[in-house]
Amino acid sequence: MNIILLGPPGAGKGTQAKILQTERGMVQLSTGDMLRAAVASGSDVGMKAKAVMEAGQLVSDEIVIGVVSERLDQPDVKTGAIFDGFPRTIAQAAALDTLLDEKGMALDAVVEMQVDDAVLIQRILQRAAETGGARADDNEETLTKRLGVYHEQTAPLIDYYRERGKLKSIDGMAAIDEVTRQLKAALDG
Ligand code: AMP
């Protein structure tokens, strides 16, 4: 089964992806993690992405699609992919449709995790405090930008997938285990 977790930064996509990875043997594909690894390694992609990520903007569709395409060629994704933080634009969603087609894979469901902006800001500032500022983009100014980018460029994907009959929505504001319960029910229902 291949799924997308859709939702704003701080919605808990990564947390839920890791739970599914452990419990169902699926593989978390976080483009944010892949890009941070590229930045840390100093690769070409990393050098292009660094400043854009620090500013809370989106890395170009071309770069991100290239990174995902390469990742999908690795054999471990055959047990099921959890796209976390991708796609983030309509162009990425269209490219993902084509990539999955080319690789003989199907998209089973898109689960939208609904969380109010005020709750997100609290959560991300808490993550920043707990991790001692490990992520350069976990600060209030960048977060406000990231939320703006989400509403403008990523939220249109909700309709994109609803129109294609793939969308399920769950309450991302509940406690972690309740969100997991709703997520599994959405996938199994
Ligand atoms: P995330 O860890 O998903 O919050 O991503 C952190 C940052 O990486 C984002 O704010 C973007 O700058 C960049 N990024 C991650 N995924 C994508 C994507 N699918 N498209 C464009 N930029 C992305």
Side-chain angles (χ1 to χ4, degrees), residues 10 12 15 25-26 33 36 50-52 54 56 65 81 104 121 123 125 132 134 144 152 155-156 158 161 175 181-182:
T15 300
M26 298 168 79
D33 285 350
R36 279 185 288 278
K50 187 170 190 283
V52 181
E54 281 172 3
I65 292 161
I121 294 180
R123 282 189 186 177
L125 294 180
T144 308
E152 211 173 280
I158 295 169
Y161 288 116
R181 194 194 62 74
Q182 290 188 24

Side-chain angles (χ1 to χ4, degrees), residues 55-74:
Q57 303 291 343
L58 293 186
V59 175
S60 78
D61 289 334
E62 193 193 349
I63 289 181
V64 175
I65 292 161
V67 166
V68 171
S69 175
E70 266 182 38
R71 184 66 185 86
L72 287 177
D73 289 334
Q74 291 170 26

Side-chain angles (χ1 to χ4, degrees), residues 31-32 35-36 53 57 59 64 85-86 88 92 135 146:
T31 44
L35 291 167
R36 279 185 288 278
M53 291 172 75
Q57 303 291 343
V59 175
V64 175
F86 176 88
R88 261 176 156 97
Q92 290 180 17
R135 276 185 58 162
R146 283 157 66 203

Side-chain angles (χ1 to χ4, degrees), residues 105-126:
M105 297 168 71
L107 180 63
D108 297 284
V110 178
V111 181
E112 180 209 357
M113 300 176 62
Q114 297 178 322
V115 184
D116 292 344
D117 281 7
V119 174
L120 296 170
I121 294 180
Q122 281 311 315
R123 282 189 186 177
I124 299 230
L125 294 180
Q126 196 183 337

